[in-house]
Amino acid sequence: MKPSPQHIFGINWRHALLLVMVFGSLAIMLSMQPIKQNPDYHDFADHGARLGIPNFFDVISNIPFLLVGIAGLRFCRSSLLMSYRPAWITFFAGVAIISAGSAWYHLNPNNDTLVWDRLPMTIAFMGLLAALLAEYVDVRLGRLLLVPAILTGFSSVIYWHWYDDLRFYVWVQFMPLLIVPILMVLFRPRYSHQWLLPVALACYMLSKLLETYDREVFVYTQSHFSGHTLKHLLAALGCYVVLMMLKMRKPV
């Protein structure tokens, strides 16, 4: 009997390609020179204080994360259309905690408080990764990887804080986003409305662009809104799009 065209030497080529993308991207990132935290990163454009709160808009713009996270957790309790519910719960819990961690950081931006901003972000990233692997590839894979993935995310932040090297953290942040389009191309979806995943991804990528041009956006809006404030809102919108996908979808 001839081997299935989907298998090469007994290995599913789609799974093999996923492994190559995950570990290949890690190898490429670690082959680069260490990436140190730019001390100017903490110097955001909008320092305005209101109601006794420093950096007011950068702080309160985290509220949407809390609202989306809570709404997502409530939805996870009732929905049956989830291949691996704990992964989605992890994602929305991470989104909710981001609101507290990021707000705490922006009250007094420095490397020590930045740790509490980045830790919940890794929870959300890795929860999303495990959820999508469970839905596109295999539920057992999502179940197997959830806890190790969260620990990997935590380790990336600790490594950066101890050694002032962002390479591992950058990989943790962007590798799940790299995997999303690959999963959508290689595997058949189990649910409808998957087109909302690229929309959520686009929101996040645009939010990173606004973060990069924080000061320029602040000048362009005549000091009303900074790029970093809008980054929070757009990233939260991306999380909301994921929630809308879960609410609207049906089995395919």
Side-chain angles (χ1 to χ4, degrees), residues 17-208:
L17 183 56
L18 276 179
L19 289 173
V20 169
M21 294 301 299
V22 170
F23 291 104
S25 60
L26 177 61
I28 292 173
M29 183 60 65
L30 295 182
S31 69
M32 300 170 60
Q33 292 296 318
I35 304 174
K36 295 185 178 296
Q37 182 69 58
N38 186 345
D40 294 334
Y41 177 82
H42 307 297
D43 184 22
F44 298 102
D46 189 354
H47 298 284
R50 292 172 176 81
L51 304 176
I53 301 175
N55 311 312
F56 179 77
F57 283 115
D58 282 349
V59 172
I60 68 163
S61 57
N62 288 287
I63 293 176
F65 287 114
L66 179 61
L67 299 178
V68 173
I70 292 175
L73 290 172
R74 292 183 61 184
F75 177 75
C76 287
R77 291 175 55 189
S78 59
S79 175
L80 299 177
L81 295 181
M82 291 186 176
S83 297
Y84 185 44
R85 190 187 309 270
W88 286 115
I89 290 175
T90 300
F91 169 68
F92 286 113
V95 170
I97 301 171
I98 284 172
S99 65
S102 182
W104 177 253
Y105 165 64
H106 283 287
L107 286 171
N108 181 24
N110 60 71
N111 276 3
D112 291 332
T113 55
L114 185 55
V115 170
W116 303 106
D117 182 15
R118 287 177 169 167
L119 281 175
M121 290 175 63
T122 65
I123 296 175
F125 288 136
M126 292 312 191
L128 179 62
L129 175 64
L132 294 178
L133 287 174
E135 297 196 346
Y136 274 92
V137 184
D138 194 297
V139 175
R140 293 170 296 180
L141 181 61
R143 184 182 297 117
L144 177 68
L145 290 182
L146 179 59
V147 172
I150 294 172
L151 293 177
T152 298
F154 274 34
S155 299
S156 72
V157 177
I158 301 303
Y159 181 83
W160 154 70
H161 193 56
W162 283 356
Y163 298 104
D164 192 21
D165 184 359
L166 285 166
R167 289 176 298 172
F168 193 17
Y169 173 73
V170 170
W171 176 76
V172 164
Q173 182 174 177
F174 287 102
M175 181 271 295
L177 306 181
L178 175 67
I179 293 299
V180 170
I182 295 174
L183 290 174
M184 297 185 70
V185 170
L186 296 183
F187 297 89
R188 291 183 60 184
R190 298 179 184 178
Y191 303 103
S192 64
H193 292 81
Q194 297 300 292
W195 60 270
L196 286 170
L197 277 175
V199 175
L201 179 61
C203 287
Y204 185 75
M205 299 306 295
L206 183 54
S207 76
K208 298 300 291 183

Side-chain angles (χ1 to χ4, degrees), residues 220-234:
Y220 181 78
T221 61
Q222 299 181 346
S223 302
H224 290 300
F225 298 102
S226 69
H228 203 89
T229 294
L230 296 179
K231 174 229 176 177
H232 290 162
L233 300 178
L234 202 54

